[in-house]
Amino acid sequence: MPYSFTEIEKEKSWVIKFVFAFLLVFYFFAAQLLWVVTKLFFNDFYLPAKIPQLFSFRELIIVSIVALAVASLHWYYSTRNMIADLTGMLDARPPDLKDTYHKKLQNVVDEVSVATGGKNISCYVVPSSGMNAFAISDFEGNSVIGVTEGLLSRISRSQLEAVIGHEAAHIASGDSFSTTVICSLFGIYGALLEGINKITLRRSGDGSEERISVGARFGAYLLVVYMVLLVIKGANYLLNLFISRQREYRADAVAVRLTRDPLALSEALYLISRGWRGVGVIPGSLSPIFIMTPDTDGLEESEGVFSDLFSTHPPVKNRLKILLGMAHSDLGSLKSGIKERARTPVEEVPVAAGISSAAPVKDWLFYKDSSWQGPFAIEDLISSGLNPASWVSNINEGIIRQAAESSSLTDALKGRIPGPTKPENVCPKCDQPLSEVLYEGAPVMKCHYCGGIASGRDVAARVLAREDYSFHVETAVVAEALMKSHWAANPPNFFAVTDRLTCPVCKNKMDRGFFTYGLPIVIDRCVKCGNIWFDKGELEILQYLTEKNRGTSYYKRDVSKPLEK
Amino acid sequence: MVILFILFVILIVIALWLMGVYNGLVQLKMRVKNGWAQIDVQLKRRHDLIPNLVETAKGYMKFERETLENVIKARTQATQATTVKDKEGAENILTGALRSLFAVAEKYPDLKANQNMLALQEELTSTENKIAFARQYYNDEVTRYNTSVKSFPANTVAPMLGFAPEEFFELKDLAEKEPPKVSFT
Ligand SMILES: [Zn+2]
Ligand SMILES: [Zn+2]
C-alpha cells in the first residue's frame, strides 16, 4: 500500500478542514445574499426615496454567526452516522454467510483486508440486480465495501478480486473518506431533490383532480424545499470539482498491483460498463462512492476541460486502454475473451456440512467385499457403491438391516440427502419438515415431498438476480403460456381465498397474490415476516421470466431446446 | 574542565541518538512481528482445512491413497516447523502435495461437483490469497526494517543493540497461474 498511516491521517484532517471551510463560505454567501434581498424587498415598499445601506459591519458579523451556526448544524447532523446513513439509503445489508455467493464476497474482502495490513473493512450487499460496487469510510477508520447482488452473480472470482482490490485502494489511500464526507453532506439532499423531481413529474403526467389539489396544497412548501435543495446541489457540483478523475486511475493501478491481473479488472470494468449499473432508486449525486457512475450520462464518457472538471469518473474507455496496455491486450481480444458463464441445471444442494468445525457424522457400517467396513458418513456410503439391498448397520442402533429399510438412506439413495431440518418449520401444504438447501447458492427451505420452496423476501430477490441455472425445457413452455393466458383472463379474486396457508416460519396466515404485477405468478406471502411460499417450479418460472425481461444472452437462442453442454 | 564539559555534551548527544535509533528500530521490528503474526494465523487456517479436505476426497479417491497420505504427512511436518526458514520449506512441500492432490482430483468429476469440496476449495483459495497478501506485507516490512538496520549510521550500533536482519518468507502459489503479464510502463 502506497500510503503510510500518518500521511492518511494528515490528509484526513485536511479534508475535514477544507470541506468545513467550504461549507462555511457557502453558507456565508447564501445568508448574505438572502439578507440583502430581504432588505431590498422591504426598503422598496416603505422607503422608496432612500437608497438602503447594503453592507454594515454589524450585519456582517451577524450573518457570519448565522452561517457558522447553520454550517455546524449541517456538518453535525450529516456526519454523525455516515456509514449507517449511506448504507441505509442504499439498502445495503451485511452478507448472509450461508449463501455461497455472499461467503465468497466476505472471503475476498477479508483477503484485501490482509493485504492492507489488517484494516477494518466490512462488506455489504445491495439487493439490486444492477452491477456496481462502492466504498465508504468514516472518521474512526471503519470502512465498508459494498457490492450489488447483480455484480456478485455475474462476475468470476478473479474479476471480483479485482473490483474489491480497486475499492480497497480507495479506502487505503483515504479517497473514500473524502467522498464519504461529501456524499453525506450533499449527496443525500441531492437524492431528495431527484426524488421530488420524479414525484412532481409523475403528478403532472397523471393529471387526476385529487392529485392536483394535493399538489396545490404542498406546492408552496415544496417550492421552498426545492430551492434549498437546488442550492445544496449546486454546492455539491462545486465540491465535485475537487474529486479528481485521477483517483480512479490510481485505484485501478493499485488493484492491479494487488491481484497481478490487469485483464480481470478490465473484464470486470467492461462488464459493468455494458450492464445496467443502477442501484435501486439511488441517484447520481452519490456517484463518487461507486466504481462506475450509477447514472449513465454523457458527461462521464466525454473528455475535455469541462467534463474533467465536473465529472468524478473518467471515461471507461480510457481506463480500459491503460489496463489493457498493462496486460498486452486490446479491446477486441477482451470482448472475444469474455465467455458466457457456464450454466448448471436447476438443482438444490444440501448446505455444505460445516467447513472447519463439524465434520460429517460417521456412524454407518457397511458390509462390502465380505467384510464390515466403516464407519462412514452417509455421503461416503453413497460414493462407495451403496445400493438398496446392501447390508448396513448404524453404530447407534446396533441392528443389521438393508439400506432400503432406513428412511435416511433411502432418501440419500434417491439423490436427496436432506439438509438440516428444524421441527418447527413444516411444509404449509403437506406438513412434512422442510430442510434447508441451497438454491442457486441461496439458503431456502424445501419440502422434499411436494417440491415447494419457502424463501425469505430478500433471499428470493437474490435468486432472481443470479444467472447460473439453465432451466428445464418445460419451465420455458409453461412460463410463456402463463404470460399469454394471463393478459387474456380475468384476474383472480385474491380476497376470496379460503385455504390460506400457514407461514412455515412464524405461523402467521399467508396472503395469496401475484409476485409482482409484471410477473403475475400466484404465490403466498407472509406479511409478518416476509416469507414467500413457492409451489414446485414456480420459483424457476419467475427466474425464467425475470431473466427474459433483463434480456440476457440465454434467451437469444431457442428456449424450447435444452442448453447444450 | 571545558574538555570535560564538551565530552559530557557529546555523550549526551550520543545517548540521545542511540535512543532515537533504538526506538525507531523497535517500531520497525514490531511491524515485522505483526506481519509475521498475520502469516501465522493464515498458515494455521490452512492446516485446519486440510484434514476436512482429505476426508472429503477420500470417499471418491479410493485408489489414490499415496497422494492423500503425502498431503497428511506434509501437513504434519508443516505444523511442527518453528523457524521462518523451516516453515518456508515445509509449507512449500505441502503446497506441492496439495497441487498433486488437485491434479488427481481432476479425474473425479463427482468429487469436483461435491458441494463440500466446492466450499472447501473456496475456503482454501481464500486462505491461499490471504497467505500471499500477508507474505507480501511481511516482506515489505522486512525490507524496510533490514534497510534501516544495514544503512549508515545505524548499522554501526544495530548489532550491539541486538537488532539482526530478519529473513524473508517466500512461498510458491498453490494455483499455478501463468506468470502475470504485467508491465507498468
Ligand atoms: Zn410439501
Ligand atoms: Zn411469517
Side-chain angles (χ1 to χ4, degrees):
Chain A
M1 286 289 139
Y3 294 89
S4 76
F5 178 74
T6 40
E7 276 174 274
I8 290 168
E9 285 306 304
K10 233 182 258 168
E11 184 169 322
K12 219 166 157 180
S13 72
W14 186 85
V15 166
I16 293 172
K17 279 178 202 145
F18 176 80
V19 174
F20 189 77
F22 177 88
L23 210 59
L24 202 60
V25 170
F26 171 74
Y27 276 116
F28 175 78
F29 279 110
Q32 183 66 42
L33 193 71
L34 208 67
W35 177 234
V36 170
V37 168
T38 318
K39 265 204 307 194
L40 277 174
F41 188 73
F42 284 105
N43 268 317
D44 275 347
F45 280 113
Y46 302 111
L47 295 163
K50 195 181 161 195
I51 295 167
Q53 191 197 0
L54 279 185
F55 298 99
S56 79
F57 185 69
R58 212 176 51 191
E59 283 170 9
L60 221 58
I61 297 275
I62 294 172
V63 166
S64 303
I65 289 171
V66 169
L68 183 67
V70 174
S72 305
L73 280 177
H74 185 172
W75 176 273
Y76 175 71
Y77 282 106
S78 301
T79 58
R80 262 188 319 178
N81 298 310
M82 292 196 295
I83 286 188
D85 287 347
L86 287 171
T87 51
M89 264 193 82
L90 296 167
D91 197 19
R93 297 141 191 209
D96 172 0
L97 294 184
K98 273 186 198 163
D99 189 303
T100 44
Y101 293 67
H102 288 195
K103 178 71 180 140
K104 185 170 72 183
L105 173 68
Q106 176 77 61
N107 279 346
V108 173
V109 170
D110 285 349
E111 287 158 28
V112 297
S113 168
V114 170
T116 58
K119 255 187 190 312
N120 177 14
I121 305 175
S122 15
C123 68
Y124 275 70
V125 183
V126 183
S128 153
S129 60
M131 295 171 78
N132 224 324
F134 68 87
I136 50 182
S137 323
D138 68 6
F139 295 94
E140 287 83 36
N142 303 312
S143 304
V144 165
I145 292 179
V147 170
T148 61
E149 205 67 66
L151 186 72
L152 206 51
S153 48
R154 258 162 273 158
I155 60 176
S156 69
R157 195 183 204 280
S158 52
Q159 291 160 359
L160 183 66
E161 285 171 15
V163 168
I164 301 296
H166 173 102
E167 296 305 336
H170 279 315
I171 289 173
S173 67
D175 290 351
S176 72
F177 173 72
S178 53
T179 44
T180 306
V181 170
I182 291 174
C183 281
S184 299
L185 284 173
F186 302 109
I188 290 173
Y189 302 97
L192 223 57
L193 185 68
E194 280 167 57
I196 292 176
N197 265 340
K198 273 182 201 144
I199 291 167
T200 44
L201 279 179
R202 208 177 296 151
R203 285 238 168 98
S204 60
D206 193 279
S208 81
E209 233 171 272
E210 195 188 28
R211 289 281 170 90
I212 287 172
S213 79
V214 172
R217 226 178 297 159
F218 281 107
Y221 172 68
L222 221 57
L223 196 69
V224 174
V225 176
Y226 191 84
M227 295 298 283
V228 172
L229 291 178
L230 203 65
V231 169
I232 292 178
K233 172 132 190 171
N236 190 16
Y237 260 107
L238 282 178
L239 260 187
N240 278 353
L241 293 178
F242 299 96
I243 299 181
S244 150
R245 287 174 145 191
Q246 292 305 318
R247 59 172 63 190
E248 294 301 323
Y249 293 122
R250 275 205 308 259
D252 284 349
V254 175
V256 169
R257 201 171 330 151
L258 277 181
T259 58
R260 293 180 293 160
D261 196 350
L263 205 56
L265 183 58
S266 26
E267 282 168 356
L269 286 179
Y270 179 73
L271 288 171
I272 296 173
S273 72
R274 282 263 315 266
W276 176 60
R277 291 169 250 149
V279 181
V281 291
I282 294 313
S285 47
L286 290 184
S287 72
I289 63 171
F290 286 97
I291 189 167
M292 226 175 262
T293 333
D295 280 353
T296 331
D297 56 0
L299 197 58
E300 295 296 340
E301 295 313 314
S302 50
E303 288 167 78
V305 183
F306 179 73
S307 43
D308 266 345
L309 270 183
F310 285 100
S311 197
T312 51
H313 290 66
V316 87
K317 63 174 195 290
N318 290 8
R319 290 168 79 177
L320 284 180
K321 209 195 280 168
I322 294 173
L323 289 170
L324 290 170
M326 289 181 192
H328 302 299
S329 179
D330 57 77
L331 201 58
S333 35
L334 172 77
K335 279 181 194 164
S336 58
I338 293 178
K339 279 174 264 140
E340 198 175 321
R341 284 165 65 84
R343 292 191 177 242
T344 55
V346 175
E347 178 198 22
E348 299 90 11
V349 292
V351 175
I355 300 307
S356 56
S357 50
V361 188
K362 297 182 179 184
D363 49 4
W364 287 98
L365 298 174
F366 181 17
Y367 190 74
K368 196 185 164 199
D369 307 329
S370 331
S371 71
W372 281 100
Q373 300 180 5
F376 295 114
I378 290 185
E379 289 87 343
D380 303 334
L381 282 183
I382 305 294
S383 57
S384 40
L386 185 82
N387 65 59
S390 311
W391 289 100
V392 292
S393 172
N394 190 297
I395 296 176
N396 305 321
E397 296 167 355
I399 338 165
I400 296 171
R401 53 182 175 175
Q402 284 185 304
E405 293 167 52
S406 152
S407 61
S408 52
L409 290 189
T410 319
D411 278 349
L413 280 168
K414 285 184 191 156
R416 31 185 193 189
I417 300 166
T421 54
K422 279 192 208 146
E424 67 267 28
N425 297 338
V426 294
C427 173
K429 291 241 156 128
C430 40
D431 275 348
Q432 295 295 308
L434 297 172
S435 57
E436 188 165 33
V437 293
L438 293 178
Y439 185 95
E440 204 157 10
V444 298
M445 288 186 292
K446 185 181 180 181
C447 172
H448 286 286
Y449 196 74
C450 69
I453 284 177
S455 130
R457 190 182 6 212
D458 58 323
V459 179
R462 262 182 244 161
V463 170
L464 292 182
R466 291 175 187 170
E467 295 174 357
D468 282 343
Y469 275 172
S470 66
F471 307 115
H472 294 104
V473 178
E474 311 87 72
T475 303
V477 177
V478 172
E480 296 294 345
L482 216 130
M483 287 305 277
K484 239 177 241 152
S485 65
H486 168 71
W487 303 114
N490 287 325
N493 182 6
F494 292 123
F495 295 107
V497 174
T498 50
D499 56 334
R500 291 174 77 190
L501 301 180
T502 310
C503 172
V505 177
C506 69
K507 310 298 168 205
N508 195 33
K509 284 284 176 214
M510 299 176 98
D511 293 330
R512 196 154 300 161
F514 288 138
F515 186 74
T516 61
Y517 284 100
L519 298 166
I521 311 297
V522 179
I523 48 104
D524 295 275
R525 196 188 319 251
C526 171
V527 281
K528 208 161 146 200
C529 70
N531 212 39
I532 304 175
W533 176 258
F534 300 97
D535 286 339
K536 184 180 167 57
E538 280 180 349
L539 187 55
E540 200 181 318
I541 293 174
L542 271 173
Q543 280 183 288
Y544 171 87
L545 290 174
T546 32
E547 271 200 46
K548 194 176 177 192
N549 288 347
R550 272 205 297 270
T552 55
S553 52
Y554 184 61
Y555 296 92
K556 297 199 179 104
R557 49 177 208 94
D558 186 0
V559 286
S560 61
K561 292 197 185 89
L563 193 69
E564 280 163 37
K565 286 218 168 156
Chain B
M1 194 59 209
V2 176
I3 293 171
L4 258 179
F5 182 73
I6 290 173
L7 261 175
F8 184 68
V9 168
I10 288 174
L11 266 177
I12 285 194
V13 168
I14 288 177
L16 283 176
W17 174 73
L18 271 179
M19 258 162 71
V21 168
Y22 183 80
N23 283 337
L25 287 178
V26 163
Q27 260 183 20
L28 285 173
K29 191 160 186 167
M30 278 300 291
R31 294 176 70 110
V32 171
K33 273 221 173 100
N34 283 341
W36 180 253
Q38 288 253 24
I39 295 184
D40 240 14
V41 169
Q42 300 310 333
L43 289 180
K44 177 150 191 325
R45 172 92 182 126
R46 185 190 206 196
H47 302 154
D48 286 349
L49 285 170
I50 286 170
N52 232 315
L53 188 78
V54 170
E55 268 319 311
T56 310
K58 225 184 218 166
Y60 296 85
M61 300 166 55
K62 286 178 287 291
F63 308 108
E64 317 286 352
R65 180 151 252 151
E66 204 183 328
T67 318
L68 294 171
E69 274 169 4
N70 277 342
V71 174
I72 291 290
K73 219 188 290 164
R75 177 198 174 264
T76 316
Q77 260 157 22
T79 51
Q80 286 159 355
T82 45
T83 65
V84 173
K85 276 290 154 237
D86 280 359
K87 286 198 182 196
E88 193 178 285
E91 293 296 337
N92 274 327
I93 292 172
L94 179 56
T95 303
L98 281 172
R99 261 190 209 164
S100 45
L101 171 66
F102 284 120
V104 174
E106 285 295 312
K107 288 189 288 185
Y108 300 85
D110 283 354
L111 173 61
K112 275 170 61 193
N114 178 296
Q115 202 58 29
N116 240 337
M117 190 64 177
L118 286 175
L120 280 164
Q121 238 164 0
E122 162 63 29
E123 285 309 300
L124 198 64
T125 307
S126 182
T127 309
E128 292 296 323
N129 281 345
K130 282 176 199 158
I131 293 175
F133 285 144
R135 189 167 57 79
Q136 224 170 342
Y137 183 82
Y138 169 79
N139 285 344
D140 285 352
E141 292 302 333
V142 169
T143 311
R144 202 172 299 175
Y145 168 77
N146 285 358
T147 317
S148 20
V149 167
K150 286 179 193 159
S151 58
F152 186 81
N155 63 350
T156 52
V157 290
M160 280 189 300
L161 296 172
F163 292 100
E166 291 280 345
E167 280 177 291
F168 290 103
F169 187 64
E170 300 297 347
L171 205 57
K172 282 182 274 182
D173 280 339
L174 178 58
E176 239 171 326
K177 289 181 189 164
E178 306 166 37
K181 292 186 288 183
V182 185
S183 66
F184 284 98
T185 46

